[in-house]
Amino acid sequence: MHAWLVEGKIIPKKRISIIGTGFVGLCTAVGFASKGYDVITSTNDPEKAALIKRGIPPFYESKLKELLQRVVGDGYLRCLTEREEAILNTEITFVTVGTPSQPNGSIDLQFIEKSAYEIAEALQKKIAYHLLVVKSTVIPNTTEKMFRHILEEHSGKRCGQEFGICVNPEFLREGSAIHDTLHPDRIIIGEYDKRSGDTLESLYRGFYGPDLPTILRTNPQTAELIKYANNAFLAMKVSFINSIANLCERIPGADVATVAKGIGLDERVGPLFLRAGLGYGGSCLPKDVKALIAFSRDSGYEPTLIDAIEEVNRVQVYRAVEFTEKLVGDLKEKQIAVLGLAFKPGTDDMREATSTKVVNDLLNKGAKVVVYDPMAIDKAKEIFDDRVSYASSALDCIRNTVCCIVVTEWDEFRNLSAEDFVEHMKEPNVVDGRRIYDPEKFRRSVRLVAVGLGDY
Ligand code: UGA
């Protein structure tokens, strides 16, 4: 077995298995494998497994493909469809399965439950101590009450004795997931008992060496809540600045971008996550805010503030079409361009993307919609089918349209000049939904309406 020299001590490298091959699972797997750990990923989906075995990620993430190819080629990462073999051949298992929303917003724990049963079966056959690490985002008490309970009941073994459990939430962002995995700003360990926490801490000490980030050790339910509180806080910053943006639009000359800069200079506020826009999307913030609201109500606490975060976000997206109507009036039969479909730049992910709502809203009003995204066109085709036209570049998208809405702030769109719009559009009307254009420059030749920009 390989070993690390950590703080003068030789620490054998643990073998790691990972259940789930989504963003968190695959990036964690590749991260450990890139530093010479033996990693076995496992998925129930044979098609996904076949891709990973060939070093091909089943989704796009910057830098993932190169790294995956390397670690598969070097033999550090294997992918199995058999959970049992993965668990029996390793000492630590990370659980990274998805925790989607139910129709009422509460969390759907079916994949956690299923993996707990599978792990329990494998534990029955295991002689040595095994550590289970829950990385999936789960509502407080899930690990203790559901996960541990299933493991103990169905393996016949005791947590804290034959096996251990930690909750270890993940804070990586899509688009910079590999960087975030290798350079996290903190590690949260919610331990069932001291041995569990020590085992995971020692794994991370070996992994990060001198670059070890701050480690915060706590109990499982606090760790579970930290993940939700973190995402809800980020969502709150976005909804807050969007509320200020809506106010700015009613104050001639006011500009939310400068307000954000001004308040961001206060160390207590900080400059990040204050970009006003059409609202937050993606597979995490919307789902986690909804789940926290549902959990809060179930726990007997009325989540007034968190409810407001969600409500502000729910209506913010409608600004896009309101602005468009302000510029061109009735949308029936009008050719409208939508630039950007992914929920943020750097990804092809369209889960809960604001673009879907903007496009549907435009179609409902009778507009003819042409869309473009540097990466997400294939995903968009699955969603919109032939209800919209697909362009092959930004300029192709805006050609002959009467209004262009910027929904995602890709660099390719930032680089468009006012002249590009004047030259290619039938009428140069632009809705800047992500504040990427300089209003002063643009307003010389383009009719520009932008989120958080007061009319002059
Ligand atoms: C988010 C968190 O940032 C991660 O820390 C967390 O690990 C992850 O969720 C998760 O729970 O798995 P991610 O969904 O990749 O990461 O995306 P973010 O970068 O947080 O952006 C979310 C949305 O907020 C995007 O639609 C983005 O456009 C929007 N946003 C973000 C704004 O509108 N304004 C901002 O200033 C920042």
Side-chain angles (χ1 to χ4, degrees), residues 23-24 137 170-176 180 186 227 230-231 234-235 237-238 241-242 271-288 313 342-345 352-354 407-409 434:
F23 276 93
V24 173
T137 300
E170 181 53 62
F171 300 98
L172 58 80
R173 296 158 296 173
E174 285 185 28
S176 51
D180 294 350
R186 69 311 303 254
K227 170 69 189 186
N230 207 100
N231 271 357
L234 294 174
K237 286 188 93 173
V238 175
I241 203 65
N242 285 338
L272 303 179
F273 261 74
L274 288 177
R275 281 178 285 112
L278 297 173
Y280 59 80
S283 64
C284 304
L285 262 48
K287 161 180 92 75
D288 291 350
N313 197 60
F343 85 95
K344 67 174 187 181
E352 295 280 327
T354 44
V407 178
T408 315
E409 65 276 32
R434 294 288 171 184

Side-chain angles (χ1 to χ4, degrees), residues 301-338:
Y301 175 69
E302 188 52 33
T304 314
L305 176 60
I306 311 165
D307 248 345
I309 297 169
E310 225 243 316
E311 180 57 15
V312 168
N313 197 60
R314 191 184 67 78
V315 296
Q316 183 65 14
V317 66
Y318 299 125
R319 305 295 291 137
V321 169
E322 283 166 27
F323 285 149
T324 311
E325 286 175 324
K326 187 172 162 184
L327 287 169
V328 300
D330 187 12
L331 298 183
K332 226 175 180 64
E333 299 296 318
K334 299 236 166 90
Q335 290 268 5
I336 312 288
V338 172

Side-chain angles (χ1 to χ4, degrees), residues 35-98:
K35 292 205 187 175
Y37 287 80
D38 282 328
V39 180
I40 305 178
T41 57
S42 74
T43 167
N44 289 328
D45 181 341
E47 276 177 31
K48 260 189 173 185
L51 284 173
I52 295 168
K53 280 179 191 166
R54 287 161 50 213
I56 304 169
F59 51 84
Y60 175 79
E61 174 61 36
S62 167
K63 300 198 177 104
L64 180 60
K65 196 171 171 196
E66 302 87 299
L67 218 48
L68 183 62
Q69 244 152 31
R70 200 185 88 203
V71 294
V72 170
D74 291 348
Y76 287 114
L77 188 141
R78 288 187 291 147
C79 185
L80 302 176
T81 43
E82 253 301 300
R83 297 269 195 260
E84 192 171 289
E85 201 186 326
I87 293 163
L88 293 181
N89 286 297
T90 55
E91 286 93 36
I92 300 184
T93 299
F94 285 85
V95 178
T96 69
V97 295

Side-chain angles (χ1 to χ4, degrees), residues 22 36 53 60 112 116 147 177 188 197 204 207 222-223 227 243 252 327 362 408 425 456:
K53 280 179 191 166
Y60 175 79
I112 291 282
F147 190 71
I188 306 293
Y204 281 128
F207 181 73
T222 306
K227 170 69 189 186
S243 303
L327 287 169
L362 290 169
T408 315
M425 293 179 75
Y456 289 90

